[in-house]
Structures are given as C-alpha cells and as structure tokens.
Amino acid sequence: GVSLPSVISYPNDVNREVAIWISPEGKAGLYDTSGDLRLGVKSLIEAGTAVIGADLLYQGEFLADGKPLEHAPMVGEANKGRDAYSGYTYGYNLPLVSQRANDVLTLLAFAKNHDEAPEAVHLVGLDGAGHWVALAAAVAGDAVASTAIDTAGFRFADVPHLDDIDFLPGGAKYGDLPGLMALIAPNPVWLAGEDKATPAIVEAAYQAAGAEDALTQFEGDSDAQEQAAIEWLTR
C-alpha cells in the first residue's frame, strides 16, 4: 500500500533495462538546475535504459514547505510538550534511514513486477544517496542486476545525533557501512567515495565469493564520477 511520488523517463529504443536513480533531492535529482535531465540520466536513456526517480520518505512532495528535513521525527516531540524520547522512536519504529531503504525496495518491486517487466534493474546512489542504496542492495540480493554506489565517505559512526536523518541503531557495530556493503557480494558493484581504496571487508567478501571481477573501485576525480558510473552500468 506504499505510494511514492515518482517519475519515469523512457527511451525511444528500449533495451528492457531499468535504472532506479536515488538522490538526496528525491525525483528532482534527475534534473539539473536548468530543468533538463542531468547528463548521467540522459546517457542512460540514450543507451536504451529507462530511469525511475522518486521522492523517498520526507523528500519532495512529502514536505509541505519543500525544505529538506533537518532531523528525523521523534516520538513525543509534538505530544503535549513531552520531550522526544529515542526509546519510543527506535524501540517501536523503523528509523528514517531504514524507511528510505525500504522505499528503494518498493521501487525495485514495482519495476520487477511491471506489466512489461525489465530483464535487468540497476540501482544508482550518487551525491550522498549511496548509503540508502547500499542498504537496499544488501537486502535485495540478485533481484538487482548491478549497483552503483558513491558512499561519499559516509559512516554511521559519524552520525552526530539521535535525531539525525541517517541515525541507525547498531549501524556502526558490525563493520559499519562497509560491513553492510559486503552483504551485496557476489552481485556487481561500482564503488566510489572511499578515498580510492576498497574497504577491506568488502574486498574480502568478494574474494570469498570468487567474484573479484564483480567489484569495481572508482579511482578518478569526483567531477568524472557520474559519467564513469554510467559507463560502467551500460558496459
């Protein structure tokens, strides 16, 4: 019963593949400042791949004032003046970062079960959306053909507050984000944002799976990152 405000861009010559493009700006992240499709999205469409963008929870159309969410909603913060209590929030509810990863899985289920089901569905998480995509890919398994992730160096251990939009209870305890990305093995992953060095636990997971060739580490400059990801996706 989940509904997500979404936009789908179809190519003229379809190759039966779909890329789900996740952005911190929601579906608006498919476009540049002039309102045109961003170059990476255009490149995918020109290659025959349809592109889906969507507003995850508390993005885009979910925001009454259109302003980015500054902190995750906490149970009790608007309840008769009581202070927000993390125990009620995280003891009984999914944290926002998990809800957003679940939204990515919802988009994946939509794409996989479309009337004209694609032969392959890819996940793209750049510009600070990589950790949401990584969480979803770790759960989705081989339902995802390949995943492009820019972690931007994100670590759950660095989240500063309990009401941060990316706070995840236990997120730092078992290898942090690299530990979760290791669960994506042996499925193909393009990885950027890790200071040009693949995290050891991720590399070890792909080696153990005998899938070293399925792991690609981007080592170029940040301004070439998006095009490199697209070239990898359309290889």
Side-chain angles (χ1 to χ4, degrees):
V2 173
S3 296
L4 297 172
S6 306
V7 60
I8 306 176
S9 296
Y10 290 101
N12 291 325
D13 298 317
V14 180
N15 65 5
R16 299 292 304 277
E17 296 190 9
V18 172
I20 298 173
W21 191 293
I22 302 301
S23 168
E25 289 78 42
K27 62 181 183 296
L30 296 182
Y31 305 91
D32 60 25
T33 54
S34 65
D36 294 327
L37 289 172
R38 61 193 291 171
L39 290 177
V41 175
K42 282 183 179 179
S43 296
L44 284 171
I45 293 172
E46 289 170 358
T49 300
V51 180
I52 300 176
D55 293 332
L56 308 183
L57 185 59
Y58 294 116
Q59 289 183 332
E61 293 185 42
F62 285 113
L63 300 170
D65 58 6
K67 297 179 180 179
L69 199 67
E70 294 183 356
H71 64 87
M74 301 284 285
V75 174
E77 64 181 351
N79 186 13
K80 298 180 181 179
R82 292 193 308 179
D83 292 335
Y85 177 47
S86 61
Y88 289 147
T89 302
Y90 301 117
Y92 297 92
N93 305 278
L94 287 175
L96 179 55
V97 65
S98 298
Q99 291 176 303
R100 287 181 168 176
N102 190 65
D103 288 343
V104 178
L105 294 174
T106 297
L107 294 168
L108 174 62
F110 165 77
K112 298 284 286 186
N113 293 283
H114 195 273
D115 291 340
E116 298 181 6
E119 295 176 353
V121 180
H122 312 277
L123 297 182
V124 181
L126 308 177
D127 303 328
H131 54 298
W132 304 328
V133 166
L135 285 168
V139 174
D142 58 11
V144 177
S146 63
T147 306
I149 299 171
D150 169 24
T151 67
F154 176 88
R155 293 293 185 268
F156 289 107
D158 296 331
V159 171
H161 304 291
L162 288 172
D163 65 352
D164 190 278
I165 61 173
D166 286 319
F167 176 75
L168 179 66
K173 191 172 184 180
Y174 304 104
D176 212 298
L177 184 60
L180 291 165
M181 290 192 295
L183 299 176
I184 304 174
N187 300 312
V189 163
W190 179 93
L191 182 60
E194 289 296 309
D195 198 23
K196 302 181 180 181
T198 304
I201 191 172
V202 177
E203 193 168 30
Y206 275 83
Q207 289 176 348
E212 294 97 328
D213 292 343
L215 178 62
T216 299
Q217 173 70 45
F218 174 70
E219 298 181 352
D221 296 330
S222 58
D223 57 359
Q225 184 185 104
E226 181 173 316
Q227 190 57 39
I230 302 309
E231 291 174 358
W232 178 82
L233 286 166
T234 57
R235 66 199 186 284

